[in-house]
Amino acid sequence: MTLDTSRLFSVVAQGLRASEIRELLKLLDRPQMISFAGGLPNPAAFPVDELREVVAHVMTDHASNALQYGPTEGHYRLRNAIAQGMGEHYGAPQQVDNILITAGSQEALHILVTILIDPGDTVITSNPTYLGALLAFRAALARVEGVASDSEGMLVDGLEDALRDLDRQGRCPKLIYLVPTFQNPTGATLSQERRQRIYEIACRRGMLIVEDDPYGLLRYEGDGIPPMKSLDQEQRVAYLGTFSKILAPGFRLGWLAADSNLIRKAVVAKQAYDICANTFGQYCIFEILRKNALFPHIEVIKNLYRHKRDVMLAALEKHFPKQARFNRPEGGLFLWVELPPEVDSLQLLSKAIEHDVAYVTGKPFYTDGSGHNTLRLNFSYADDDQIVEGIARLARVIDLELAVLKSGDRADHVGIF
Ligand SMILES: Cc1ncc(COP(=O)(O)O)c(C=O)c1O
């Protein structure tokens, strides 16, 4: 008799559900499909020639260490370079003891959740927020309180209200999770004033701030706002950095910069996950930093993505119906679209996929099940021609949906091309 493995699932595993759009997104492999769905860097943004040289150097000079297990904390020289770099580039200097190298920022999130969250604990996020964080919090059986946000990120008054409400319920949140700069999914950036006020609230309330910052260095216009970590005089901010979007996600390397006590506990937790992050990749990335090659490369990426963002914005302006609102993010990889409330972006997605264009629906990013009429568009991955054609296709699908809704006829449409 075959074993019914479902009977063995833990309580946490029983609560894990594949996302509703997963099945639809399987169709994205079709060759004619234009996808704005993933958050993928463009392969043209990978420094292939530079990396070829770096790999050769690591294999020639460091093979015995680079191919070996490494310390759980990470390659010392890479940690040291990151600690210094955080001072130089973020105004948030760190000691080596404050840095843990992780398998991307997603692992850092997972580790933080493991060492900080008990079932039933409350965490605060903006609403909407990064889906990967929601998944990590939910897997730990945390209760997520989403605070409304606008084009400048989390509303501080909304945060104060939420905290008062939680006080009344006797619930004391341990942490606030934020993607303050070019947020995934909306592209919004938390203003300096709000950063300061949220930091002060966290201090008053004894809460940790988890600052997830994969996109902060990808600013295409406007004045930079330093990470919240730069406000941090008391190691109250656990900062998540990653090489995924500024180098290559295939390395699976990022870092956690936090209080050394928290780092020590994180190291013990990480030993149980993967012993250490990819050692070979750490040697390669250290070499890129040692050669001062990272920041010139980031300039190349910024030029590429600024252009792609502008191509997408121009196409949206040209083709999208005026009832569809979209923002103009100053950096990052995503643009956010709000359709009229009568449009359901999940229903629309199946129609869009029929016509070979895809996006990610907004609702899964919301903590309260709202956002049915929103969607996220990635502009970094597709070719310029595909961006123009894909937005034109999507606009036609939206136009038709609006016409169908207006006529009160909800039947599926065919042959819009
Ligand atoms: C806000 C945010 N956090 C974390 C991650 C995970 O990145 P990494 O590749 O570093 O694990 C992503 C990836 O898109 C992201 O958008």
Side-chain angles (χ1 to χ4, degrees):
M1 200 173 70
T2 50
L3 179 64
D4 175 10
T5 46
S6 306
R7 286 184 42 236
L8 307 179
F9 288 154
S10 64
V11 173
V12 167
Q14 287 170 37
L16 298 177
R17 297 267 176 274
S19 95
E20 55 185 359
I21 56 173
R22 220 187 155 83
E23 290 304 310
L24 284 175
L25 295 183
K26 278 185 191 156
L27 301 170
L28 299 195
D29 284 346
R30 292 208 300 252
Q32 65 278 27
M33 180 67 68
I34 297 177
S35 175
F36 304 126
L40 305 186
N42 195 296
F46 300 149
V48 176
D49 292 337
E50 191 84 54
L51 283 172
R52 200 174 284 121
E53 280 175 30
V54 160
V55 167
H57 169 83
V58 169
M59 288 309 279
T60 309
D61 287 8
H62 302 287
S64 57
N65 287 329
L67 297 175
Q68 189 55 278
Y69 289 110
T72 305
E73 291 83 348
H75 177 27
Y76 184 87
R77 296 178 76 188
L78 178 61
R79 293 167 70 211
N80 197 31
I82 290 172
Q84 284 180 18
M86 289 204 52
E88 212 174 304
H89 300 286
Y90 298 157
Q94 305 296 305
Q95 303 297 317
V96 177
D97 288 353
N98 301 119
I99 306 292
L100 167 67
I101 307 294
T102 59
S105 39
Q106 191 66 35
E107 188 199 33
L109 252 173
H110 188 44
I111 292 173
L112 283 176
V113 160
T114 305
I115 64 175
L116 297 172
I117 303 297
D118 288 316
D121 276 351
T122 299
V123 302
I124 293 186
T125 70
S126 66
N127 190 27
T129 193
Y130 170 54
L131 180 58
L134 286 178
L135 295 177
F137 294 140
R138 286 182 188 140
L141 307 180
R143 295 164 78 179
V144 178
E145 283 299 317
V147 174
S149 54
D150 63 13
S151 61
E152 292 191 1
M154 181 183 275
L155 297 168
V156 182
D157 291 346
L159 174 61
E160 305 253 36
D161 288 347
L163 288 168
R164 272 192 294 273
D165 210 39
L166 291 169
D167 283 345
R168 281 193 286 275
Q169 299 172 42
R171 288 163 62 194
C172 183
K174 278 187 178 161
L175 63 87
I176 307 182
Y177 168 81
L178 293 164
V179 186
T181 311
F182 314 132
Q183 194 217 32
N184 180 0
T186 62
T189 292
L190 192 67
S191 67
Q192 180 63 37
E193 191 229 327
R194 290 190 194 177
R195 287 174 196 231
Q196 185 69 46
R197 286 179 63 200
I198 292 173
Y199 183 76
E200 283 161 14
I201 292 171
C203 291
R204 257 197 338 269
R205 291 276 186 157
M207 289 184 295
L208 185 78
I209 292 175
V210 177
E211 176 176 35
D212 190 1
D213 190 27
Y215 309 109
L217 292 172
L218 299 180
R219 174 175 281 281
Y220 316 132
E221 66 183 39
D223 295 334
I225 303 182
M228 292 183 79
K229 189 72 184 156
S230 70
L231 302 170
D232 192 17
Q233 300 305 315
E234 38 190 85
Q235 289 291 10
R236 179 174 294 283
V237 177
Y239 178 91
L240 313 186
T242 178
F243 293 103
S244 288
K245 305 297 180 349
I246 52 173
L247 212 45
F251 278 117
R252 302 309 303 129
L253 284 171
W255 70 95
L256 167 64
D259 167 54
S260 56
N261 185 39
L262 198 142
I263 293 286
R264 279 195 296 279
K265 192 57 95 179
V267 168
V268 181
K270 185 171 165 58
Q271 276 160 3
Y273 292 153
D274 58 359
I275 304 171
C276 64
N278 170 4
T279 317
F280 184 72
Q282 293 186 62
Y283 272 78
C284 291
I285 289 184
F286 172 69
E287 193 52 28
I288 295 263
L289 299 183
R290 195 187 62 76
K291 291 171 74 181
N292 286 323
L294 180 62
F295 280 83
H297 178 65
I298 291 175
E299 288 306 311
V300 174
I301 301 178
K302 280 163 52 173
N303 288 334
L304 179 71
Y305 292 172
R306 180 188 300 109
H307 170 74
K308 288 191 175 295
R309 179 204 60 170
D310 291 346
V311 170
M312 186 172 276
L313 282 169
L316 287 165
E317 262 146 36
K318 181 164 175 205
H319 296 294
F320 257 37
K322 59 179 180 319
Q323 302 97 305
R325 299 210 320 253
F326 52 86
N327 62 351
R328 181 192 166 86
E330 294 186 330
L333 306 190
F334 306 109
L335 238 137
W336 189 241
V337 177
E338 243 182 83
L339 299 169
E342 62 274 21
V343 181
D344 182 322
S345 65
L346 181 59
Q347 282 186 14
L348 190 76
L349 179 60
S350 51
K351 295 171 188 173
I353 287 176
E354 272 173 37
H355 296 99
D356 293 320
V357 60
Y359 54 81
V360 166
T361 54
K363 191 171 164 182
F365 297 95
Y366 282 82
T367 57
D368 57 359
S370 61
H372 70 277
N373 58 329
T374 58
L375 60 97
R376 188 193 76 179
L377 296 175
N378 165 267
F379 55 78
S380 59
Y381 185 71
D383 295 344
D384 293 2
D385 291 351
Q386 290 180 322
I387 294 178
V388 174
E389 171 58 24
I391 293 298
R393 283 183 200 172
L394 185 54
R396 287 199 288 268
V397 174
I398 296 172
D399 277 339
L400 206 87
E401 181 74 351
L402 289 173
V404 168
L405 288 171
K406 202 169 164 200
S407 72
D409 173 10
R410 291 212 55 108
D412 277 357
H413 56 277
V414 282
I416 64 167
F417 291 95

